[in-house]
Amino acid sequence: MRRLRLGMVGGGDGAFIGAVHRIAARLDDRYELVAGALSSDPERARASAAKLHIAPDRAYADWAAMAKAEAGRLDAVAIVTPNHVHHGPAKAFLAAGINVICDKPLCLTLDQALDLQQAAAASPALFALTHNYTGYPLVRQARAAVADGLIGAVRVVQVEYPQDWLTTRLEETGQKQAAWRTDPARAGGAGSVGDIGTHAFNLAEFVTGLRCESLAADLTRFAPGRALDDNAHMLLRFAGGGRGMLWSSQVAPGNENGLRLRVYGDKGGLEWLQEEPNTLIFSPFGKPPQRITRGGHGALPVAAHATRIPSGHPEGYLEGFAQLYRDLAEQITARIDKREPDQAALLVPGIEDGLRGMRFITAAVASSERDSAWTKIE
Amino acid sequence: MRRLRLGMVGGGDGAFIGAVHRIAARLDDRYELVAGALSSDPERARASAAKLHIAPDRAYADWAAMAKAEAGRLDAVAIVTPNHVHHGPAKAFLAAGINVICDKPLCLTLDQALDLQQAAAASPALFALTHNYTGYPLVRQARAAVADGLIGAVRVVQVEYPQDWLTTRLEETGQKQAAWRTDPARAGGAGSVGDIGTHAFNLAEFVTGLRCESLAADLTRFAPGRALDDNAHMLLRFAGGGRGMLWSSQVAPGNENGLRLRVYGDKGGLEWLQEEPNTLIFSPFGKPPQRITRGGHGALPVAAHATRIPSGHPEGYLEGFAQLYRDLAEQITARIDKREPDQAALLVPGIEDGLRGMRFITAAVASSERDSAWTKIE
Amino acid sequence: MRRLRLGMVGGGDGAFIGAVHRIAARLDDRYELVAGALSSDPERARASAAKLHIAPDRAYADWAAMAKAEAGRLDAVAIVTPNHVHHGPAKAFLAAGINVICDKPLCLTLDQALDLQQAAAASPALFALTHNYTGYPLVRQARAAVADGLIGAVRVVQVEYPQDWLTTRLEETGQKQAAWRTDPARAGGAGSVGDIGTHAFNLAEFVTGLRCESLAADLTRFAPGRALDDNAHMLLRFAGGGRGMLWSSQVAPGNENGLRLRVYGDKGGLEWLQEEPNTLIFSPFGKPPQRITRGGHGALPVAAHATRIPSGHPEGYLEGFAQLYRDLAEQITARIDKREPDQAALLVPGIEDGLRGMRFITAAVASSERDSAWTKIE
Amino acid sequence: MRRLRLGMVGGGDGAFIGAVHRIAARLDDRYELVAGALSSDPERARASAAKLHIAPDRAYADWAAMAKAEAGRLDAVAIVTPNHVHHGPAKAFLAAGINVICDKPLCLTLDQALDLQQAAAASPALFALTHNYTGYPLVRQARAAVADGLIGAVRVVQVEYPQDWLTTRLEETGQKQAAWRTDPARAGGAGSVGDIGTHAFNLAEFVTGLRCESLAADLTRFAPGRALDDNAHMLLRFAGGGRGMLWSSQVAPGNENGLRLRVYGDKGGLEWLQEEPNTLIFSPFGKPPQRITRGGHGALPVAAHATRIPSGHPEGYLEGFAQLYRDLAEQITARIDKREPDQAALLVPGIEDGLRGMRFITAAVASSERDSAWTKIE
């Protein structure tokens, strides 16, 4: 399987979403990170690139320079900067004929968006926007279920995305994520609406396959002194007569990333919650609700396409597995480097654990053969 | 960060756990797969290696040959073969001084296990066993909570691992996983006990920090004609006076990978379920139960160490994210190869979705500014 | 403990809510049913009364006659007729000086409601409205928690009541409940809003202790040909700056009586779901969410007051209903005994609550007719 | 509908279960409490009776005197005393020809149980034992589902009843419930096993319709100085080859009344949890699990029989309790009327169930004393 040559704009040391993009690119081994403008600070750009095994001559501090120099040498670029640095790089890389993967929301203003639409149309390159929740197997299952008519004509759409991390003025403490997301200059004209409301909106349209035609909104700034909305309530009207509600909030204590979608048609309903993404509730009208699991009974091919492991292992299983590899890498590297390993990396099971397992099996079989007599695990 | 040179034994085309090991190794970018004895069939070994970007001269059909040839050229080897091909390779790579990552259970018999213990003791290399469930952040949190005395002295341990995939004689249909796992020659003397009971047992000892001293077992073969147990019930006694029960089953309809651990001490209790791994219930006696999330409030440093993304995004978020990258890779690759892309890979959000998002934000802000008037999303 | 003499209007053979009222009245042994106008059909009235051990000379077919004849012989009357037969009997029994327990919503129109308000003011009798969900122990706990400042100043209120029983035109099949609840002549001007939206609204005000000052609503009739709304979406604004959303639906497949309330303040959040009434999630900001159970650790005295059995035994709908009867019995008994009633027994909804409901309905319909314009609830 | 004349032994001021019985008796209006030996203390007996509207001349301090005096004047008596005062009154009222409703477990010893069995056989009266959990609609649904073959031949039975209220020596504080339940003189030879293990055991046999033939048990006294077991682990073997596990505990922090039953056959599985009694999970093998609700889609007639209110309104513990009373009222009334009782009303546990419970306790204690040897339940 070909590995594509990937570049990245943004995502230097300490960034959150850049690291997520790199893990996502690596997971299926289809990309190799070979170039980057990881920071606008040259020193930080260089140091971040070195840590990521990017050759020094492909480490840039200027995305415009990178776009020019890398034309023909990259298969794709990932743009993982704050919102106000989406439009420029996206346009530059499209112009260079390089496929673009851009974090959401698209940019700062509707004018910028229309401009990018033209740029994308004029370029031979693809443009992808990481509305990442559409990558969940059961979100795709839900979309296919609606398209297949399993819930009939859509009547009601309930979508919400509550968080609690901005309940207080976190942006005052110097926390970087909070700082730019509550700053109109860097986030645009909306707060919770732009940051997470767009995810909710996209999810509703993605799953229903319907266009939302109009809305009535009530945006609020609850934290005293905040410049952008931190809570939003909306009524929605969809093409074809469906009605809906949308709630986004960053001030709802007890909620982490509670993106939830419920869709009801004249023949059934669907419910999905991002924090328990491996389950989809399907309620055919007049029958008991069914619990569909990723890859389990009732899963459609489109869900299987987006699945790497058997049902019942939550997506998240892979991270647990990877943790052992990471901790062992730390141990091995420490040996090579002749230093003490990180204490937290010492929990990897070893030969003694394997021996325990064999003793357990041996004792279990022996006990059972002796009519369940108590048997020592030596 | 140094990338370690990794080899693999087993895991050729069509294998399940080999692919999981490779994803796990890739996730944190600490390993590079450079050699493999992926199959004992030379042609299959070569073809599988080619797909994984392994150089032809480092693709082997014979793990013994590989161990000799790769001494000094590998930092670690992953052994992902069926149980009966664990002992040989593990011993050979330990002898070659190469760090070993071995799938569980350790091997076929207690004698083999003791032999491996000696081999490990005699080698400078590390030996890791992938009891992967110990890599979950909240499993580590649970262990730390017990060690810190948060539940007091452990009294009761309830652990279970029910599945349903062997409810019928799946092994009769030619399904490979079922075939070797129910075959004494390849799986050893235990069925469900070796395959999943060992995970449950390991988890109980890992979290409690206690050794289980003896057991009383009742193993059953429910599917007519099956050669190994497909259900096991056990009573457990732990050092220090704790008592427990263990249930493993592959014939419990409705269960996928229901590994669940509950531990109760004289000051509190802990409950964790693998199918919802991002939540740990902590019940201090006499107070309301608390819902601890991976990285959320109440999480201990040891959980944070095993975490890549903020709380509320289930581990599984990364896979969803990766799906977009994978699907886009398919689209780009198809363009390069001048062929039609896989239809299932076309769901990646694009510029139009970005534009929708901007229109949504614009309409939301406008509606709210006009006292929630219905506003068209153009 | 004195047993009160209870009469009933409506609730003859085959009625649903009348039987529920009788169980609720009986549960704590504070009432004895001694008279009734159980049906307007004389024969059915007589037969129904006989089954309920009501003496023949106290079985009426005419509630007006009953009110006259029973003055001085009844401690209370329960009015459990369809909405259009609330106003007449309520007024008659108030005039007769008999305490009234009336099912919700109060009546058909705002004019009727105002008229009843006057009648109640002019009568020495009490008037109780069975918003039964306020009788749940943990609903009372939630109210007390807000009042005690445990979640700080209320910012966001999310309340919803989805059902699915009217997904199709059940009223066409002759089903009595569906028939009158979808008939403007008997149900009034609202469908789902009057039937269940009033419960949701009452619950939001009851728990927050705040008045909802205005709303923006979008009512829909999804089932073809239905005369009243079967789905409603609303934005809410509360005194003090709180914002909210309300959803009522009778066409959401998979939902039975999914009344759910979530309230978020600047210090914490509360979540309660009627279908699992024995649990309240309390999330103090910055700490792990707590699971409060009825009578369990963390329960307040106000919850214990409404509890008959130890924690862990779920307490049902009937008990919640009975709580209103018990509290009213305490109030009536205190009057008879010329003493102060137990303070904890004062939470029974009364005439003002009924009026609030009618105002709410009126505003909802008006707003919807004016394309969801913001409409005051006077 | 006839109201039966009910007497009560025990249940004076401050008692817990007596009040529950009275509510249950009242719920469906089939009983009238007319006599009682509510306490052995004459003054307390008299005062308690007065509060319950029992005529002074029918208030007794001596159950033996009551049995003699009330012969022919009572339709039934409820015995709600601690375990050591079950045998005497039960025998006396049976001898007086009065139908007996007795709290579980039946009595103190197997000898007493056998003696009662004879007394019941010699009496024209009925004998009912309040294993109240069998009154839940979905427990009856589960039983019918097994009987109808919906899960095929039963293979695995997992039943547990964890509580946490005796985690510390509550009996030392003077708490009455804890005092007698941990006192061998009043509770008999078992602690958690007698108090709640009997419920779990009864439930397993009730739902599966299978006799549990043998068990292997491990009983523990975790609280220092406690005289009876507060935790019990057991392996079970059922007629026909089914295997099971049973766990009862009163020292598992975070558990209130976590009675849970899981049954797996060769065609499907069933799961039910008492703390969420309105839901039954049914997993037909190879299809998605279904969520069956009390009275909802998929509910069987036997569940509807035990239901008073529509689906979605949770029905509680009290209703389950009342169901036994209602069913017994039907049986008694049918006798009086010399007709066949409604078949659906025959599921009330009787003397044989009480005997089974004593055999179960005896075997459990014996097995544990013999180091968990397999012990027959004769």
Side-chain angles (χ1 to χ4, degrees):
Chain A
M1 197 77 75
R2 184 195 304 274
R3 276 200 195 113
L4 300 174
R5 299 161 297 171
L6 180 69
M8 181 167 275
V9 176
D13 276 1
F16 153 55
I17 205 68
V20 169
H21 276 252
R22 288 192 296 267
I23 292 176
R26 214 150 51 221
L27 200 74
D28 294 308
D29 205 18
R30 302 287 296 271
Y31 297 85
E32 189 171 11
L33 183 65
V34 296
L38 303 171
S39 172
S40 55
D41 173 64
E43 183 46 44
R44 194 163 156 267
R46 199 176 307 125
S48 297
K51 286 189 191 164
L52 297 170
H53 307 279
I54 293 174
D57 62 342
R58 298 181 80 175
Y60 306 83
D62 175 354
W63 47 260
M66 174 179 164
K68 272 191 200 155
E70 294 287 344
R73 302 170 68 202
L74 284 183
D75 293 305
V77 68
I79 300 171
V80 298
T81 42
N83 304 354
H84 69 300
V85 194
H86 285 184
H87 174 263
K91 203 167 169 183
F93 283 89
L94 285 172
I98 295 172
N99 298 299
V100 170
I101 299 161
C102 183
D103 211 54
K104 50 58 43 196
L106 184 56
C107 46
L108 278 195
T109 66
L110 188 53
D111 282 349
Q112 283 188 349
L114 291 166
D115 188 51
L116 274 184
Q117 185 183 35
Q118 288 195 334
S123 167
L126 293 169
F127 187 97
L129 194 75
T130 47
H131 271 308
N132 53 291
Y133 302 110
T134 65
Y136 277 113
L138 289 175
V139 166
R140 295 186 173 194
Q141 165 101 11
R143 176 187 166 95
V146 174
D148 290 357
L150 294 186
I151 65 166
V154 172
R155 289 171 165 180
V156 179
V157 179
Q158 297 285 343
V159 64
E160 62 187 39
Y161 197 150
Q163 301 179 324
D164 72 0
W165 67 301
L166 295 179
T167 292
T168 54
R169 292 289 304 277
L170 186 61
E171 62 267 37
E172 302 280 88
T173 68
Q175 210 262 14
K176 282 177 68 170
Q177 296 297 326
W180 78 257
R181 285 169 205 266
T182 57
D183 174 7
R186 287 176 284 174
S192 77
V193 171
D195 197 23
I196 54 178
T198 44
H199 276 307
F201 181 77
N202 174 262
L203 186 66
E205 289 198 338
F206 181 82
V207 168
T208 63
L210 296 175
R211 286 179 81 81
C212 179
E213 292 183 328
S214 58
L215 59 77
D218 192 27
L219 277 57
T220 315
R221 303 166 193 178
F222 279 113
R226 185 162 287 157
L228 294 172
D229 66 276
D230 49 25
N231 191 83
H233 294 166
M234 299 185 207
L235 309 180
L236 308 177
R237 288 180 178 161
F238 290 83
R243 303 298 171 97
M245 298 173 89
L246 185 151
W247 173 41
S248 67
S249 184
Q250 295 171 319
V251 295
N255 290 282
E256 295 182 339
N257 283 281
L259 177 60
R260 181 194 304 263
L261 177 68
R262 294 175 288 179
V263 184
Y264 303 101
D266 59 4
K267 293 188 183 155
L270 289 167
E271 306 191 3
W272 182 80
L273 172 60
Q274 194 264 155
E275 295 191 1
E276 295 174 12
N278 300 288
T279 302
L280 177 72
I281 303 300
F282 167 47
S283 300
F285 180 63
K287 295 188 184 157
Q290 298 175 8
R291 188 177 177 274
I292 310 286
T293 57
R294 180 193 54 74
H297 308 301
L300 299 170
V302 73
H305 164 78
T307 294
R308 291 158 192 83
I309 45 175
S311 56
H313 280 122
E315 307 242 336
Y317 171 85
L318 294 174
E319 285 86 346
F321 221 110
Q323 190 59 33
L324 297 196
Y325 269 85
R326 181 161 78 176
D327 285 344
L328 186 67
E330 166 63 12
Q331 290 185 41
I332 295 174
T333 304
R335 281 207 177 189
I336 293 171
D337 296 345
K338 294 185 176 144
R339 61 170 173 79
E340 283 301 300
D342 179 353
Q343 289 300 304
L346 296 182
L347 293 177
V348 183
I351 190 75
E352 290 300 330
D353 298 278
L355 190 61
R356 287 295 290 160
M358 294 312 296
R359 288 196 196 281
F360 164 70
I361 293 172
T362 304
V365 171
S367 170
S368 191
E369 283 172 355
R370 295 193 299 128
D371 206 22
S372 308
W374 280 101
T375 302
K376 284 225 169 111
I377 305 170
E378 283 159 52
Chain B
M1 197 77 75
R2 184 194 304 273
R3 276 198 196 113
L4 300 173
R5 299 160 299 169
L6 180 69
M8 181 167 276
V9 176
D13 275 2
F16 154 54
I17 205 68
V20 169
H21 276 253
R22 288 192 296 267
I23 292 176
R26 215 152 47 221
L27 200 74
D28 293 307
D29 205 19
R30 303 287 296 268
Y31 297 85
E32 189 170 10
L33 183 65
V34 296
L38 302 172
S39 172
S40 56
D41 173 64
E43 183 46 44
R44 197 163 154 266
R46 199 177 308 126
S48 297
K51 284 190 191 163
L52 296 171
H53 307 280
I54 294 175
D57 63 340
R58 298 182 81 175
Y60 307 82
D62 175 355
W63 47 259
M66 175 179 163
K68 272 191 199 154
E70 294 285 345
R73 301 170 68 202
L74 285 183
D75 293 305
V77 68
I79 299 173
V80 298
T81 43
N83 303 354
H84 69 301
V85 194
H86 285 184
H87 174 262
K91 204 167 168 183
F93 283 89
L94 285 172
I98 295 171
N99 299 300
V100 171
I101 299 161
C102 183
D103 212 55
K104 50 57 47 196
L106 184 57
C107 46
L108 278 195
T109 66
L110 188 52
D111 282 348
Q112 282 188 352
L114 291 166
D115 188 51
L116 274 183
Q117 186 183 33
Q118 288 195 334
S123 167
L126 294 169
F127 186 97
L129 193 75
T130 47
H131 272 308
N132 53 289
Y133 302 109
T134 64
Y136 278 114
L138 289 175
V139 167
R140 295 187 171 193
Q141 164 101 11
R143 176 187 166 95
V146 174
D148 290 357
L150 295 186
I151 65 166
V154 171
R155 289 171 165 180
V156 180
V157 180
Q158 297 285 343
V159 65
E160 63 187 37
Y161 196 150
Q163 300 179 325
D164 72 359
W165 68 300
L166 295 179
T167 292
T168 55
R169 292 290 304 278
L170 186 61
E171 61 268 37
E172 302 280 88
T173 68
Q175 208 261 15
K176 283 177 70 172
Q177 296 296 327
W180 78 258
R181 285 169 205 267
T182 58
D183 174 7
R186 287 177 284 174
S192 78
V193 171
D195 198 23
I196 53 178
T198 45
H199 275 307
F201 181 77
N202 174 261
L203 186 67
E205 290 198 338
F206 181 82
V207 167
T208 63
L210 297 176
R211 286 179 80 80
C212 178
E213 292 183 327
S214 59
L215 59 78
D218 192 26
L219 277 56
T220 315
R221 303 166 193 178
F222 279 113
R226 185 162 287 158
L228 293 172
D229 65 275
D230 49 24
N231 192 84
H233 295 165
M234 300 184 207
L235 308 179
L236 308 176
R237 288 180 179 162
F238 290 83
R243 303 297 172 96
M245 298 173 89
L246 185 151
W247 172 41
S248 67
S249 184
Q250 294 170 320
V251 296
N255 290 282
E256 294 182 339
N257 283 283
L259 176 60
R260 181 194 303 263
L261 178 68
R262 294 175 289 179
V263 184
Y264 303 101
D266 59 5
K267 292 189 185 155
L270 289 168
E271 306 192 4
W272 182 81
L273 172 61
Q274 194 263 156
E275 295 191 2
E276 294 174 14
N278 299 291
T279 302
L280 177 72
I281 304 299
F282 167 48
S283 301
F285 180 65
K287 294 188 183 158
Q290 300 175 7
R291 188 176 176 274
I292 310 286
T293 57
R294 180 192 56 73
H297 309 300
L300 298 170
V302 73
H305 164 78
T307 294
R308 291 157 192 85
I309 45 177
S311 56
H313 279 122
E315 308 241 335
Y317 171 84
L318 294 175
E319 285 87 345
F321 222 109
Q323 191 58 34
L324 298 195
Y325 269 85
R326 181 161 79 175
D327 285 345
L328 186 67
E330 166 62 13
Q331 291 185 38
I332 295 173
T333 304
R335 280 206 176 189
I336 294 171
D337 296 346
K338 291 182 178 147
R339 62 170 173 80
E340 283 300 302
D342 180 354
Q343 289 299 304
L346 296 182
L347 293 177
V348 183
I351 189 76
E352 290 300 329
D353 298 278
L355 191 62
R356 287 296 290 161
M358 294 312 295
R359 290 197 195 281
F360 164 70
I361 292 172
T362 305
V365 172
S367 171
S368 191
E369 284 172 354
R370 294 194 299 127
D371 205 22
S372 310
W374 279 101
T375 302
K376 282 226 169 111
I377 304 170
E378 284 160 49
Chain C
M1 197 78 75
R2 184 196 303 275
R3 275 199 197 113
L4 300 172
R5 300 162 296 168
L6 180 69
M8 181 167 277
V9 176
D13 276 1
F16 154 54
I17 204 68
V20 170
H21 277 254
R22 288 192 296 267
I23 292 176
R26 215 151 48 223
L27 201 72
D28 294 307
D29 205 18
R30 304 289 297 269
Y31 297 86
E32 189 171 9
L33 183 65
V34 296
L38 303 171
S39 171
S40 56
D41 173 64
E43 184 47 44
R44 195 163 156 266
R46 199 176 309 127
S48 297
K51 285 190 191 163
L52 296 170
H53 307 278
I54 293 174
D57 63 341
R58 298 181 80 176
Y60 307 82
D62 175 354
W63 47 259
M66 175 180 164
K68 273 190 200 154
E70 294 286 344
R73 303 170 68 201
L74 284 183
D75 294 305
V77 68
I79 300 172
V80 298
T81 42
N83 303 354
H84 69 301
V85 194
H86 286 184
H87 173 263
K91 202 167 169 184
F93 283 89
L94 285 172
I98 296 172
N99 299 299
V100 171
I101 300 160
C102 184
D103 211 53
K104 49 58 46 193
L106 184 56
C107 45
L108 278 195
T109 65
L110 188 52
D111 282 348
Q112 283 188 350
L114 292 165
D115 189 50
L116 275 183
Q117 185 183 34
Q118 288 195 335
S123 167
L126 294 169
F127 186 97
L129 193 76
T130 48
H131 271 308
N132 55 291
Y133 301 110
T134 64
Y136 277 115
L138 288 175
V139 166
R140 296 185 173 195
Q141 164 101 12
R143 177 187 165 94
V146 173
D148 290 357
L150 295 186
I151 64 165
V154 171
R155 289 170 165 179
V156 179
V157 180
Q158 297 286 342
V159 65
E160 63 187 36
Y161 197 151
Q163 301 179 326
D164 71 0
W165 66 301
L166 295 178
T167 293
T168 55
R169 291 290 305 277
L170 186 61
E171 62 267 37
E172 302 280 88
T173 68
Q175 210 261 15
K176 282 177 69 172
Q177 296 297 326
W180 78 256
R181 285 170 206 268
T182 58
D183 174 8
R186 287 176 284 174
S192 76
V193 171
D195 198 23
I196 53 177
T198 44
H199 276 306
F201 180 77
N202 175 262
L203 185 67
E205 288 197 338
F206 181 82
V207 168
T208 62
L210 296 175
R211 288 179 78 82
C212 178
E213 292 185 326
S214 57
L215 62 78
D218 193 26
L219 276 58
T220 315
R221 303 167 193 178
F222 279 114
R226 184 161 287 158
L228 294 173
D229 66 277
D230 49 24
N231 191 85
H233 294 165
M234 301 185 205
L235 308 180
L236 309 176
R237 288 179 178 162
F238 289 83
R243 303 297 172 97
M245 298 172 89
L246 185 151
W247 173 42
S248 68
S249 184
Q250 295 171 320
V251 295
N255 290 283
E256 295 181 339
N257 283 283
L259 177 60
R260 182 195 302 264
L261 177 68
R262 295 175 287 179
V263 184
Y264 303 101
D266 58 4
K267 292 188 185 156
L270 289 167
E271 306 190 5
W272 181 80
L273 172 61
Q274 193 264 156
E275 295 190 3
E276 295 173 14
N278 299 289
T279 302
L280 177 72
I281 303 299
F282 167 48
S283 300
F285 180 64
K287 294 187 183 159
Q290 299 175 8
R291 188 178 177 274
I292 310 287
T293 58
R294 180 193 55 74
H297 309 299
L300 299 169
V302 73
H305 164 79
T307 294
R308 290 159 194 82
I309 46 175
S311 56
H313 280 123
E315 190 165 33
Y317 169 80
L318 295 174
E319 291 86 327
F321 221 110
Q323 190 59 31
L324 297 195
Y325 271 86
R326 181 161 77 175
D327 285 349
L328 187 67
E330 165 65 13
Q331 290 185 39
I332 297 172
T333 305
R335 281 207 176 188
I336 294 171
D337 296 344
K338 294 187 176 142
R339 62 168 173 81
E340 284 300 301
D342 180 350
Q343 290 299 305
L346 296 181
L347 293 177
V348 184
I351 189 74
E352 289 301 328
D353 300 277
L355 188 61
R356 287 298 291 159
M358 295 314 295
R359 289 199 197 280
F360 163 69
I361 293 171
T362 304
V365 172
S367 171
S368 190
E369 282 174 359
R370 295 195 297 128
D371 206 34
S372 308
W374 280 103
T375 303
K376 285 224 168 113
I377 304 170
E378 284 159 49
Chain D
M1 198 77 74
R2 184 195 303 272
R3 275 198 197 113
L4 300 172
R5 299 161 299 168
L6 181 69
M8 182 166 277
V9 176
D13 276 1
F16 154 54
I17 205 68
V20 170
H21 276 253
R22 289 192 296 268
I23 292 176
R26 215 152 46 223
L27 201 71
D28 293 307
D29 204 18
R30 303 288 298 268
Y31 296 85
E32 189 171 10
L33 183 64
V34 296
L38 303 170
S39 172
S40 55
D41 174 64
E43 184 47 43
R44 195 163 155 265
R46 199 176 309 125
S48 298
K51 285 190 190 161
L52 296 170
H53 306 278
I54 294 173
D57 63 342
R58 298 181 82 175
Y60 306 84
D62 175 354
W63 48 258
M66 173 179 165
K68 272 192 201 153
E70 294 286 344
R73 303 170 67 202
L74 284 183
D75 294 305
V77 69
I79 299 172
V80 299
T81 42
N83 303 354
H84 69 301
V85 194
H86 286 184
H87 173 262
K91 203 168 168 183
F93 283 90
L94 285 171
I98 295 170
N99 299 299
V100 171
I101 299 160
C102 184
D103 211 54
K104 50 58 46 194
L106 185 55
C107 45
L108 277 196
T109 66
L110 187 52
D111 281 348
Q112 283 188 351
L114 291 165
D115 189 51
L116 274 183
Q117 185 184 35
Q118 287 195 335
S123 167
L126 293 169
F127 186 98
L129 193 76
T130 47
H131 271 308
N132 54 290
Y133 301 110
T134 65
Y136 277 115
L138 289 175
V139 166
R140 296 186 172 194
Q141 163 101 9
R143 177 188 166 93
V146 173
D148 291 357
L150 295 186
I151 65 165
V154 171
R155 289 171 165 178
V156 179
V157 179
Q158 297 286 344
V159 65
E160 63 186 38
Y161 197 151
Q163 300 179 326
D164 71 359
W165 67 300
L166 295 179
T167 293
T168 55
R169 292 289 305 278
L170 185 61
E171 61 268 36
E172 302 280 88
T173 68
Q175 209 260 15
K176 283 178 68 171
Q177 295 297 326
W180 79 257
R181 284 169 206 267
T182 58
D183 174 7
R186 287 177 283 175
S192 77
V193 171
D195 198 24
I196 53 178
T198 45
H199 276 305
F201 181 77
N202 175 262
L203 185 66
E205 288 197 339
F206 181 83
V207 168
T208 63
L210 297 175
R211 287 179 79 80
C212 178
E213 292 185 326
S214 58
L215 61 77
D218 193 25
L219 277 57
T220 315
R221 302 168 193 177
F222 279 114
R226 184 161 287 157
L228 294 172
D229 66 275
D230 49 24
N231 191 83
H233 295 165
M234 300 185 206
L235 308 180
L236 308 176
R237 288 181 178 161
F238 290 83
R243 304 296 173 97
M245 299 172 89
L246 185 152
W247 173 41
S248 68
S249 184
Q250 295 171 319
V251 294
N255 290 282
E256 294 181 340
N257 283 284
L259 177 60
R260 181 194 303 262
L261 177 68
R262 294 176 289 179
V263 184
Y264 304 101
D266 58 5
K267 292 188 185 154
L270 289 167
E271 306 191 4
W272 181 80
L273 172 61
Q274 194 263 156
E275 294 191 2
E276 294 173 14
N278 300 289
T279 301
L280 177 72
I281 303 300
F282 168 47
S283 301
F285 180 64
K287 293 187 184 158
Q290 298 174 7
R291 187 177 178 273
I292 310 287
T293 56
R294 182 193 54 74
H297 309 300
L300 298 169
V302 74
H305 164 79
T307 295
R308 291 160 193 82
I309 46 176
S311 57
H313 281 121
E315 189 166 34
Y317 169 83
L318 294 174
E319 292 86 327
F321 221 109
Q323 189 59 31
L324 296 195
Y325 272 86
R326 180 161 78 175
D327 285 345
L328 187 66
E330 165 65 13
Q331 290 184 40
I332 296 172
T333 304
R335 281 206 177 189
I336 294 171
D337 297 345
K338 293 186 177 145
R339 61 167 173 82
E340 284 299 300
D342 179 351
Q343 290 300 303
L346 296 181
L347 293 176
V348 184
I351 189 73
E352 289 301 328
D353 299 278
L355 189 61
R356 287 298 291 158
M358 295 313 296
R359 289 200 196 280
F360 162 70
I361 292 172
T362 305
V365 172
S367 172
S368 190
E369 282 173 0
R370 295 195 297 128
D371 206 33
S372 308
W374 281 103
T375 303
K376 284 227 168 111
I377 304 170
E378 285 158 48

